[in-house]
Every structure is written in C-alpha cells, then in structure tokens.
Amino acid sequence: MLDLKQIRENPAAIQELLDRRGAGQHDLQPLIQLDQQQRELEQQRSQLQARSNEIGKLVGKKIKADPQGTEVQALRDEGNQIKIELSGLEPQEKDLKAQVEALLLTFPNLPHQSVPIGSSEEENVEVRRWGDEYIPQNPQILPHWEIGEKLGILNFERATKVAQSRFVTLIGKGAALERALISLMLDRQTQAGYLEVIPPFLVNSQSLTATNQLPKFAEESFKCSQDDLWLAPTAEVPVTNLYRDDILPLEQLPIYHCAYTPCFRREAGSYGRDTRGLIRLHQFNKIELVKLVHPSTSAVEHENLVKDAEAILQALKLPYRVIELCTGDLGFGAAKCYDLEVWLPSSGKYREISSCSNFGDFQARRGSIRFKEAGKKGTQFVHTLNGSGLAVGRTMAAILENYQQPDGTIQVPDVLQPYLGVKTLGLKNQ
RNA sequence: GGAGAGGUGGCCGAGUGGUUGAAGGCGCAGCACUGGAAAUGCUGUUUGGGGGCAACUUCAACGUGGGUUCAAAUCCCACCCUCUCCGCCA
C-alpha cells in the first residue's frame, strides 16, 4: 500500500514513479479527491463529536446536583440535536474512508529509483550469467516430461484423473527426487541463517490482502467456498503474515525465514501456456525465503537474498542467469525484483525458477508490520523481501534435462546423491 | 456437531452506565540512593487518523459489526475467535 501522506505532499513525484510502470495506467487524481473530501468530513465530524463528549461529561456532573433541572434538559436536547447531525455525517465519512482504503489497495508499489525503465519483459536487463560450461551439448535431449514419463517417475494422466489438468503425480524415484531437492534446499538455507517454518497452507483473506494477492488477484487463488480460507499461492503469504499487526522490537530484526510449502495457483489467464510438463502447475512445491528487515538495510538484504537463491543452482551446477525486471514487468507489490532463470535445453531457453523481490514498506503497510526503536517515539514499517529458493518442480525439470545422458538415464547431481542414495536414474530405478 | 467458559494496554489482571485511555501488578525507560550493583523510592511508559512549523490539540479504539442512551469496556442483538468437556475422526 502506498503512503497517503506522501501522495498528498508529493502527488506529481508519486505519479511519475507510477507512470514508469506504464503511462496512464494508474491515475492518482480520483484518490486524491476522495481523500480530501474524507478529511473535510472528518474535521466536521470530530468537532461535533468533541462537543457531544463535552455534553456527556457535563450532564454527568449536573445530574447529581439536580436531576430534573432545566440545564440538564437543555444539554440533553443539544446532545440529541448533535446525534441527529452525526447520524448523517458519520455514515458518509465512513463510506468515503472505505472507498479511499479500497482504492489505495489497488495501486501497485512504486518502482525503486534504480529499476531500469521499460514497458515489457523485452526490456528486462541481464545482470549476470552463471554456468555456461555446464550447458549440455547433446542435441538429442528430450523435454523433461517425455523423459520423466519414459522413466516412469512422472505421470500426468493419472494426476488429471485424480484432479485436473496441470497436476502431476511423482512416482518412485521421482517422488524421492522431489523430496531430496526439498531437503537439500532447506538444509542449505537453514545453514545460510534462515529459520525454517512450516506454516499453515490455507490462509485467510486478511493475510492475502497484506501480501498483495487481494483484492486485485483473487481469481489467481483457489478459495474454499465454505470458509474465509484460500489455498496459499506461495509461502510468502503465511510466513510474512506470521508478523501481521506486530510491533517488533528493533533487536528482533532482521528476521530470516525459509519454508517449504506446496503452492496452489489457478493459473487463470494462462490457458495454452506451458501446458506440458512441470513448468506451470496448479500445485507445486517451493522453498520460500522471507526477510523482514530494517529499511536502511533492505537493498543489501535483497542482493544477499538473490545470492542465497543462486547458491542452490550453483550447488546443483545448473546453468542460469539473473535478470533484473524493468519497471513495466515488475510485479504489483515489488519495488525491485530479480528473476533467476534456469537453462532448459529442450526448449533452448532460460526459464524463471526464482523471483526475488524487495517490497520496501508496501506489504508492511498493508499488514501493519512495524518495529519500534527504543527511545524513539512512534513506529516504523519494516521492509519485507522474499524469493524462491527454489521452485522445486522447475528444478526437477532442469535436472531431468541438463543431466540427461545420451542413453536416456539421468545423472544425479553430486550434492543430491547423499539424499537420493543413487548416482543415476534409469529404468532399473522404477 | 452438542454443552459450558471467555475475549480489556507489551504481559498478567480489575472494572456492570457518568469526568476511565482504562485500578493494581509485572516488564521496560529515566531519576534518586550506592564506590558500583541489588533492594528501595519517585517519575514516565498503547496505537491509529485529523489539524498545526512546533509546543500542542482533537477524534477513534476494551474481539468485530449494529442498536439503546445526553453518556457504553459496562445494557441489547448478530457474528468471529479462543479454551474446557462430550461426540466423531486422521
């Protein structure tokens, strides 16, 4: 959520930053007008209320001396008069306030000054590339879904029968490989200083609002119709919301968490895209890294978060590149974002495997996550950051392709061998 | 699902209509005492919105939303949540 005070004081500057995401898409003007109306009403209302409070106190005093006195009656009459006026004013102001709030929630975050300006993903910037030497030279590499089904470790048909399209069943060593990846990632990230949590996988609307999925992206999540509960689209939601409405003592910052959770996404609007394989499923596993930090450190924390995610790809010797998203491609809540893209030989492309964002105080404001510095008056919003470390299904896809041997077996990456107990995946492993 | 209890400040906990943003305690901060500390004493200690350069001022908040009243933490209604017991179940 943007800072209303900032918008009031500096509308042109804020508008300019919003326009970097796409000119004319986010007009502050209606918001500014509503806000002004609301404040005018609030002034009127609180003045009336002040008088009403005064009357209440006076009556209390006088009624002891002379319950039937004319003075008391006069005050009561005035009180009633004010009540009538308030009954008109109050709902109006409340309504305006709700409108301001609702409108404010629809504005995306301001891109950080350092974010390259651009209108689409075409203008994203490659920051660095790693592992060129690990790019396989074998031209015969099968797409991961084909080799996976051949080896009997992935099955899409049966998953479709059980649920729907865009689900998968992992079988035998496929399931074990997924589990091994989860363990590897959690082990590495906890060693890097992230405190592991297993949060609820269902979250309420308030939580989704704090982390930007609501109100704008309701159709992206699965909702439980009987309850105010949704299937979490990412662990970012439950983990960040562990601290919703908290005022943290300064000493508690920074907070680092990692979490393994399944993630559930409706993928509405992506019909026809990545229909095959593990790339875009309704349910997938992910290790998420979440940080809550002091605002002055968030830029450095962001760079470090990216490195922590990269460390997994490096450990697995999977070729990847780091992309910085331009203003036009930046996610709704992000102030700055790097994507990690892993090399997928079958399509000859880099594909997103992690997205690492700095949200600044955008989410903290929505979720009221603050900290207090001893001695200083008032509270400040923390900065929140998160990134995948990594998407497990996509990692599996990358392994099934990059480690695919000419004989159709899969070499198990060195770091995974202790977890999996075998060096290759082949037919005999079924 | 059935029965009961309960939701008050960072925490514990009092408060059943009147000047209570809320006793008391704990915790925390400052000061005094001390060589230093403990103990003790005193003082302070919620958050959010509006107005103001500021000092300050005003409104709101005792689970949430309504209602009664000049006045509600306190009364009424609805909802949510937590706990205990019973039932069912992994």
Side-chain angles (χ1 to χ4, degrees):
Chain A
M1 183 158 68
L2 298 180
D3 183 359
L4 249 184
K5 273 187 195 158
Q6 230 180 39
I7 294 174
R8 273 177 215 147
E9 285 164 14
N10 236 332
I14 307 291
Q15 186 67 64
E16 193 276 318
L17 283 170
L18 282 174
D19 287 343
R20 291 187 186 186
R21 284 179 172 270
Q25 286 179 24
H26 311 286
D27 183 9
L28 286 172
Q29 216 44 51
L31 178 68
I32 292 172
Q33 274 167 18
L34 276 178
D35 173 54
Q36 196 167 346
Q37 284 176 40
Q38 185 272 325
R39 274 185 303 156
E40 279 164 18
L41 274 188
E42 173 166 353
Q43 292 216 46
Q44 286 180 42
R45 197 216 72 223
S46 65
Q47 272 170 26
L48 277 176
Q49 218 124 41
R51 176 58 185 161
S52 167
N53 289 345
E54 200 179 353
I55 290 170
K57 285 175 187 173
L58 279 173
V59 172
K61 264 184 214 162
K62 309 229 162 176
I63 211 163
K64 279 179 194 155
D66 180 9
Q68 308 300 326
T70 53
E71 236 181 329
V72 169
Q73 195 47 50
L75 284 169
R76 280 190 168 151
D77 290 345
E78 191 186 346
N80 272 322
Q81 192 54 43
I82 289 177
K83 205 158 40 162
I84 291 167
E85 289 178 54
L86 275 176
S87 68
L89 220 51
E90 233 171 9
Q92 263 188 67
E93 196 223 329
K94 226 176 188 177
D95 181 52
L96 271 175
K97 202 155 202 170
Q99 281 185 50
V100 169
E101 182 81 2
L103 192 54
L104 193 56
L105 284 174
T106 66
F107 281 89
N109 200 0
L110 307 176
H112 189 264
Q113 291 289 353
S114 63
V115 175
I117 296 177
S119 56
S120 75
E121 65 179 305
E122 309 293 312
E123 286 161 271
N124 291 343
V125 174
E126 182 175 313
V127 179
R128 58 183 169 270
R129 195 182 278 228
W130 185 93
D132 280 359
E133 68 272 30
Y134 299 114
I135 291 179
Q137 300 308 316
N138 172 11
Q140 310 297 329
I141 288 175
L142 296 174
H144 64 273
W145 59 89
E146 281 185 26
I147 192 72
E149 296 213 311
K150 225 174 220 184
L151 295 176
I153 60 177
L154 301 185
N155 191 309
F156 292 93
E157 256 178 58
R158 290 179 191 277
T160 303
K161 177 165 59 178
V162 172
Q164 237 183 42
S165 65
R166 290 195 191 279
F167 284 88
V168 69
T169 303
L170 304 174
I171 300 169
K173 284 289 184 251
L177 177 57
E178 183 90 354
R179 185 156 48 85
L181 283 169
I182 291 167
S183 295
L184 170 77
M185 290 177 192
L186 284 174
D187 285 351
R188 295 281 168 135
Q189 300 302 3
T190 51
Q191 278 159 28
Y194 294 84
L195 182 63
E196 183 179 349
V197 292
I198 299 183
F201 301 161
L202 302 197
V203 296
N204 58 36
S205 297
Q206 232 188 321
S207 295
L208 279 168
T209 305
T211 40
N212 326 325
Q213 287 79 14
L214 287 178
K216 285 202 94 170
F217 305 105
E219 68 289 345
E220 268 302 309
S221 294
F222 289 105
K223 174 143 182 26
C224 305
S225 61
Q226 311 257 346
D227 305 279
D228 178 30
L229 288 171
W230 309 66
L231 308 205
T234 158
E236 162 192 355
V237 182
V239 176
T240 307
N241 274 283
L242 293 175
Y243 299 95
R244 176 154 46 79
D245 295 325
D246 273 8
I247 299 175
L248 304 159
L250 178 67
E251 310 83 72
Q252 219 172 312
L253 299 179
I255 292 171
Y256 302 154
H257 282 304
C258 61
Y260 153 68
T261 70
C263 303
F264 303 91
R265 299 188 182 175
R266 293 190 62 231
E267 297 295 346
S270 46
Y271 304 111
R273 296 183 64 191
D274 308 313
T275 48
R276 310 199 66 182
L278 299 170
I279 300 302
R280 194 176 299 276
L281 297 174
H282 288 310
Q283 175 188 327
F284 61 95
N285 293 316
K286 181 157 62 67
I287 275 60
E288 185 74 359
L289 307 176
V290 174
K291 289 186 173 184
L292 288 82
V293 307
H294 191 282
S296 66
T297 64
S298 75
V300 174
E301 294 281 9
H302 190 202
E303 300 297 326
N304 290 337
L305 180 80
V306 175
K307 285 178 190 144
D308 291 330
E310 284 182 72
I312 305 294
L313 287 165
Q314 291 179 12
L316 290 167
K317 295 183 177 152
L318 289 169
Y320 69 91
R321 59 177 187 172
V322 182
I323 297 289
E324 172 160 19
L325 301 195
C326 73
T327 53
D329 199 28
L330 205 55
F332 180 83
K336 188 178 178 71
C337 179
Y338 296 106
D339 276 3
L340 305 188
E341 298 184 338
V342 72
W343 178 253
L344 284 187
S346 73
S347 54
K349 280 183 192 156
Y350 286 99
R351 290 303 306 257
E352 179 188 330
I353 196 166
S354 170
S355 192
C356 301
S357 301
N358 184 353
F359 297 92
D361 63 6
F362 191 77
Q363 295 184 324
R365 206 172 237 112
R366 290 174 156 241
S368 194
I369 307 175
R370 292 158 294 168
F371 70 96
K372 199 176 171 71
E373 248 170 287
K376 274 198 184 177
K377 61 176 175 184
T379 59
Q380 300 176 67
F381 291 107
V382 302
H383 279 195
T384 61
L385 305 94
N386 63 57
S388 350
L390 305 163
V392 181
R394 291 186 178 186
T395 307
M396 159 117 58
I399 289 171
L400 293 183
E401 297 193 5
N402 285 286
Y403 280 84
Q404 201 177 118
Q405 305 302 304
D407 65 357
T409 60
I410 309 294
Q411 189 196 327
V412 176
D414 293 346
V415 288
L416 276 181
Q417 287 177 15
Y419 289 94
L420 208 53
V422 295
K423 292 187 173 178
T424 55
L425 300 184
L427 290 172
K428 62 181 187 299
N429 293 310
Q430 278 180 42

